[in-house]
């Protein structure tokens, strides 16, 4: 024991001294001279990269200083994060290229157009987008970026000059500013002078939610296709301004790993990605291998990771004529950590990332014409694919959801057209002004197909990420994949939300249809103003208009605002929420009259969201973002650690997102007491087990038998992996008269599912308002046994519990902020829980 202690102390001392004596020589190539007029990282930061984790503010300072000092660099701020940090982009190339940078950019865009054959690529530079640390607690990329930017700005000689003459580098020094700042704070404040390499040290165990995610706890590496976050929208705009030949995405993985670079597992590549893409990726990989061999670093390729989901940074370029490359470095998760491969230091991880950044640029320089011609041929070959029809999507009762899908398409440079005239396709009605038509015969036809397609057959049964993301289904829109081009109206040049109808003043009452996406936003602000509002439990007709389940009534009489001020307030609500509000002159209807007991008074919800240890931060963040950014509904983020000390009587609803494990008995008992006294507890996904185990809800699960037959020991992981539902889309039938389904116009709904929780239906049919159909698979992968088990089960359950309610969703209704189509299920559970 004494010997072990002395050895560990010596190691701590050695690594502490090594980091204190760290110099740029550890990282930089040998036999290269550097311009003394260019500031080194340590001259601005106060330390050599690797001694401390760079915070985002210091990173910005250094990148700004480089741009001011070097004619090779320009810098721009493309916007701000949710925490108001700048989203920077450096353009790095030779001064000569900077002098004609607009011409170079235009020629790259023209390579994607019909006149691409006229572009001479003999002297045209390649474009490389280098993106760093999209996961904030994978910081070796961003910290390596400090060294790479310095090297590209200050290195001298024919080698660097040739590189910068032949390559334009779009340098994104931090893809996740908020997460990088959060993690740097954690790692630096927990660093000891005598660095502890013990993996159990506090330094290597971040507190919840960790620095991986952005402000709202989103994994931004899944947002390249949906582009729902400000950081994503900035980089997507840059991407389509340039169409890079190579895009690199620098990550970290488990500490006991080495270094990975693509290609990944070939059988898991999306079928829309050309075979040549993977061949070029493999050719580029040879440059990485050679560079890492030179510094003696272990690495691997063609394992673990794949190129299927186009929403990742390393895969998104593959459907846009470029080559996406994922780098994964074994993570020190701090400053130095014991691993299976010895002591893994932070500087070592930085050096590997820096080495891969340079090898990428070397490949881009050497393979320049090959990459340029690949881009040109990608779009030329796409045009040869026969496309003589169009997609159409719309919802005449929910203009906002239609608009937001159109918004995504426009961000990806997909051409949209108005619908020429009302049309019915396969029994679905599409109304002019509420629908868009998208010709398949356009430059982005392959990306368009990737966004709209439904795919249920696959070469492989394992996926690193989701296997389906069909956007019209995600937005709960009617759509058709084959409509005649004769339905094309005017091209949509400037996309604008639908103009709401003027609010007509009433001295009797106002009605709001619940179908529109932002109706919950309007209702909350009406209730928070102290106004009375009611919900209609049945349809009715009034003054030549029909009103569906869930119509909201705001009476004029007995409000604290007089009729004039109520009218002014509702006009503002209509404009802010993009919904129509209709004033009516009578309460006499065909159906339930406005004074009927079938109109139930609503109360203002006060919402708590459980966060903290044991809660999946992604799921909690999606709900927080939905409430805060979309609906302007304040919520209180309660922590699981302090739940037993919290005053729960302040809340009408508490949301329990997906969780890992159970809560302590005293916390469960407190929740139970709160529900019995009238609260509504809404649980998601694994909360089903917690509900069942603690008698909050009676649940019976359907479990398939997964007995392995003719499966070897080597195949066992793939066998179990194939039983996972990584993310697919399924059809459910809905009872539109049930309050959980208010606002939906069809009797079917598409649900996103990534669990194997198959809940058996209740014996009483009216207690199963959402139920999977007999053949529910719409898009994505699911094993046959799981599909059989899913058929006929239910993803929703509501139980009375004392004076309160327990509500359960086995599926994520708020997935990654782009699953607009099921957001309203949560809002219905909040506003109408007492009517279920």
């Amino acid at each position: 024991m004494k010997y072990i202690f002395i050895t560990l102390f010596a190691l701590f001392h050695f690594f502490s001294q090594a980091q204190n004596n760290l110099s740029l020589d550890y990282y930089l190539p040998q036999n290269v001279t550097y311009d003394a007029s260019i500031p080194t990282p340590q001259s601005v930061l106060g330390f050599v990269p690797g001694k401390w984790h760079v915070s985002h503010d210091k990173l910005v300072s250094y990148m700004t200083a480089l741009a001011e000092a070097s004619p090779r660099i320009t810098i721009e701020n493309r916007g701000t994060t949710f925490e108001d940090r700048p989203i920077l982009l450096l353009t790095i190339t030779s001064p000569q290229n900077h002098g004609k940078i607009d011409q170079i950019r235009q020629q790259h865009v023209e390579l994607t157009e019909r006149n691409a054959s006229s572009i001479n690529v003999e002297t045209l530079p390649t474009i490389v987008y280098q993106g760093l640390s999209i996961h904030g607690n994978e910081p070796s990329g961003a910290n390596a970026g400090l060294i790479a930017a310095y090297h590209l700005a200050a290195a001298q000689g024919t080698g660097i000059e040739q590189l910068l003459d032949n390559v334009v580098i779009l340098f994104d020094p931090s893809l996740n500013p908020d997460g990088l700042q959060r993690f740097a704070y954690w790692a630096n404040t927990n660093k000891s002078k005598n660095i502890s390499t013990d993996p159990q040290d506090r330094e290597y165990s971040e507190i919840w939610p960790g620095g991986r995610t952005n402000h709202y706890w989103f994994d931004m590496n899944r947002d390249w296709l949906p582009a729902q976050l400000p950081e994503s929208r900035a980089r997507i705009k840059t991407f389509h301004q340039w169409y890079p030949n190579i895009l690199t995405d620098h990550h970290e993985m488990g500490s006991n790993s080495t270094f990975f670079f693509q290609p990944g597992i070939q059988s898991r590549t999306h079928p829309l990605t050309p075979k040549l893409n993977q061949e070029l990726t493999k050719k580029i990989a040879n440059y990485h291998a050679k560079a890492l061999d030179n510094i003696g670093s272990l690495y691997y390729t063609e394992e673990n990771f794949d190129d299927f989901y186009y929403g990742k940074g390393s895969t998104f370029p593959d459907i846009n004529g470029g080559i996406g490359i994922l780098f994964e470095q074994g993570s020190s998760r701090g400053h130095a950590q014991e691993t299976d491969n010895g002591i893994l230091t932070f500087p070592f991880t930085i050096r590997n990332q820096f080495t891969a950044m340079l090898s990428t640029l070397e490949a881009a320089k050497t393979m320049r014409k090959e990459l340029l011609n690949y881009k040109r041929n990608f779009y030329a070959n796409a045009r040869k694919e026969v496309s003589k029809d169009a997609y159409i999507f719309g919802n005449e009762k929910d203009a906002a959801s239609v608009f937001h899908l159109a918004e995504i398409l426009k961000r990806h440079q997909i051409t949209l057209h108005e619908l020429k005239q009302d049309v019915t396709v396969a029994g679905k009605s599409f109304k002019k002004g509420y629908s868009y038509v998208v010709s398949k015969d356009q430059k982005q036809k392959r990306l368009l197909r990737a966004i709209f397609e439904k795919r249920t057959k696959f070469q492989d049964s394992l996926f690193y990420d989701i296997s389906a993301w069909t956007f019209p289904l995600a937005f709960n829109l009617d759509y058709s994949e084959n409509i005649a081009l004769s339905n094309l109206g005017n091209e949509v040049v400037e996309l604008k939300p639908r103009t709401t109808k003027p609010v007509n003043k009433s001295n009797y009452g106002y009605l709001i249809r619940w179908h529109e996406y932002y109706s919950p936003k309007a209702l909350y602000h009406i209730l928070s103003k102290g106004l009375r509002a009611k919900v209609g439990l049945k349809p009715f007709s009034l003054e030549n208009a029909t009103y569906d389940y869930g119509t909201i009534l705001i009476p004029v009489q007995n409000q604290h605002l007089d009729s004039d001020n109520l009218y002014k307030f509702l006009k503002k609500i209509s404009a802010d929420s993009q919904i129509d509000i209709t004033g009516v002159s009578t309460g006499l209807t065909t159906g339930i009259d406005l004074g009927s007991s079938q109109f139930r008074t609503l109360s203002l919800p006060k919402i708590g969201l459980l966060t903290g240890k044991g809660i999946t931060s992604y799921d909690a963040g999606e709900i927080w973002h939905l409430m805060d950014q979309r609906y302007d509904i304040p919520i209180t983020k309660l922590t699981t650690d302090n739940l037993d000390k919290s005053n729960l009587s302040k809340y009408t609803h508490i949301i329990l997102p997906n969780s890992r494990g159970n809560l302590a008995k005293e916390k469960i008992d407190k929740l139970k007491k709160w529900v019995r006294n009238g609260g509504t507890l809404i649980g998601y996904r694994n909360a089903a087990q917690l509900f069942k185990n603690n008698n909050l809800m009676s649940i019976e699960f359907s479990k398939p038998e997964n007995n392995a037959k003719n499966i070897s020991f080597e195949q066992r992981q793939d066998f179990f992996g194939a039983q996972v539902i990584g993310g697919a889309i399924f059809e459910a039938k809905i009872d539109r008269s049930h309050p959980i389904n208010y606002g939906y116009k069809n009797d079917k709904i598409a649900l996103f599912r990534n669990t194997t929780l198959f809940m058996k239906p209740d014996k009483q049919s009216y207690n199963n308002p959402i139920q999977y159909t007999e053949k529910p698979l719409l898009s994505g992968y699911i094993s046959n046994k799981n599909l059989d088990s899913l058929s006929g089960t239910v993803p929703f359950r509501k139980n009375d519990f004392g004076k309160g309610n327990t509500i359960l969703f086995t599926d994520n209704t708020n997935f990654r902020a782009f699953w607009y189509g099921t957001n309203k299920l949560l809002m219905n559970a909040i506003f109408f829980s007492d009517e279920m």
Side-chain angles (χ1 to χ4, degrees), residues 676-691:
R676 285 194 185 97
N677 289 334
T680 295
L681 181 62
I682 303 171
Y684 274 97
R685 300 209 289 157
N686 287 343
Q689 294 288 358
L690 185 147
F691 279 21

Side-chain angles (χ1 to χ4, degrees), residues 19-20 22 27 46-53 188 191 335 346-347:
Q19 290 205 352
N20 287 333
L22 191 65
Y27 304 109
F47 59 88
V48 175
K51 181 180 180 182
W52 297 96
H53 285 250
N188 290 336
K191 178 187 176 183
H335 291 87
F346 187 39

